[in-house]
Amino acid sequence: MKPNRAAVVAPGIVPRNPAQGGPPTMLQFLSDHIQVVNAVLNAAMVVIWVVYLQIFLISHRRQSRSVIHIDLGAAKGAQSRCLVTNLSSGALYVQGIVADLVRDDHMSRTIVTDRDEISEDETDNPMSRTNRGTLQPGQTVDIGSLNDLVRRARIRLDEEWFFEQIDSVTISVVAISGQAERIVGASKTFSVTSDDERGTVWFNARNVLTKQMRPLRTREEFNSLLRERKFQ
């Protein structure tokens, strides 16, 4: 008789009964490598939770992000209406509107929130003389024509500004977001082109998209300007 040789078994592997015969089944394989299988499943679970967390954070940022769009429409030239739309998921309170007039590399900035071109005797509704107020999601408000905005700027600045002398006009909307309780805003610059022969003025947006105010320095700049506003 031949002597029995002891089977050499690798550490951590359960020896298979030779009497069973044939290749190992899936259950037997998993049983033999249970520690490795558990490690793989735990790693896959961690990856899934990380992906879910990333999707949740991206969705939360999109919902809490404030987006304001500024555009022109409803008329041509200096009578073009300046339209402000709230594209955020939550309501915004318009705190102020700022106009930057540029002429020969000289810029003058002032607040044009209130409709100074409308006297108190012309309306029975005081709210019609201001652009302050709440903008619901998807709501669009007409803040006046570009001619009106320049007229308000002239009154505030006490300076003579004519469209033929203006190179560009930048309109900025400063608002308060109720979701984050912070100052947000957006701005868009319009180039001014005048036709002296026809006596017409054209405004062209330098960018289709409205620039959103993200930097903290920009928010603080407009916050200081609005705090310095004096009511007479």
Side-chain angles (χ1 to χ4, degrees):
M1 296 180 60
K2 296 182 180 180
N4 295 331
R5 297 181 179 180
V8 179
V9 181
I13 298 179
V14 179
R16 186 169 54 89
N17 189 357
Q20 296 177 354
T25 62
M26 179 62 69
L27 294 178
Q28 183 65 39
F29 177 81
L30 295 177
S31 177
D32 294 345
H33 303 82
I34 188 65
Q35 295 181 352
V36 177
V37 172
N38 286 335
V40 173
L41 292 178
N42 291 334
M45 187 64 66
V46 171
V47 172
I48 292 174
W49 279 109
V50 169
V51 173
Y52 280 160
L53 179 60
Q54 186 71 15
I55 295 176
F56 173 78
L57 292 177
I58 294 176
S59 177
H60 177 71
R61 286 182 178 180
R62 289 181 178 178
Q63 292 181 356
S64 61
R65 180 180 300 174
S66 299
V67 180
I68 302 173
H69 183 62
I70 303 173
D71 203 358
L72 298 179
K76 297 181 179 180
Q79 300 304 322
S80 299
R81 312 303 296 183
C82 191
L83 307 176
V84 177
T85 304
N86 178 18
L87 299 180
S88 311
S89 59
L92 297 175
Y93 180 83
V94 178
Q95 181 65 31
I97 299 173
V98 179
D100 296 334
L101 306 182
V102 177
R103 174 180 60 191
D104 298 332
D105 296 332
H106 169 72
M107 186 192 75
S108 294
R109 168 174 290 178
T110 186
I111 299 175
V112 292
T113 311
D114 296 331
R115 299 176 181 267
D116 297 327
E117 70 275 7
I118 302 177
S119 64
E120 297 180 1
D121 299 333
E122 294 181 14
T123 177
D124 296 331
N125 183 12
M127 291 301 297
S128 62
R129 300 187 64 246
T130 183
N131 286 305
R132 285 186 179 84
T134 304
L135 269 181
Q136 298 297 334
Q139 181 181 358
T140 300
V141 63
D142 180 359
I143 64 174
S145 66
L146 289 178
N147 187 32
D148 295 335
L149 296 175
V150 173
R151 286 175 58 189
R152 295 175 207 169
R154 283 191 301 195
I155 294 175
R156 291 291 175 183
L157 294 170
D158 194 19
E159 299 177 359
E160 290 295 333
W161 286 86
F162 300 98
F163 285 112
E164 296 78 8
Q165 302 170 336
I166 299 176
D167 297 328
S168 65
V169 177
T170 300
I171 303 299
S172 302
V173 178
V174 183
I176 298 176
S177 173
Q179 295 180 348
E181 296 182 354
R182 58 189 174 91
I183 292 180
V184 298
S187 64
K188 178 174 283 189
T189 300
F190 301 93
S191 299
V192 182
T193 303
S194 58
D195 189 343
D196 296 335
E197 296 181 357
R198 299 182 179 180
T200 57
V201 180
W202 300 96
F203 294 87
N204 297 313
R206 293 183 178 177
N207 197 329
V208 176
L209 300 178
T210 303
K211 181 181 178 181
Q212 306 300 312
M213 299 179 191
R214 300 302 178 194
L216 179 61
R217 181 183 303 177
T218 304
R219 294 173 184 162
E220 184 62 27
E221 177 183 359
F222 285 97
N223 190 22
S224 302
L225 180 65
L226 294 174
R227 283 201 308 262
E228 295 173 358
R229 168 73 191 277
K230 297 180 180 179
F231 295 91
Q232 298 177 351

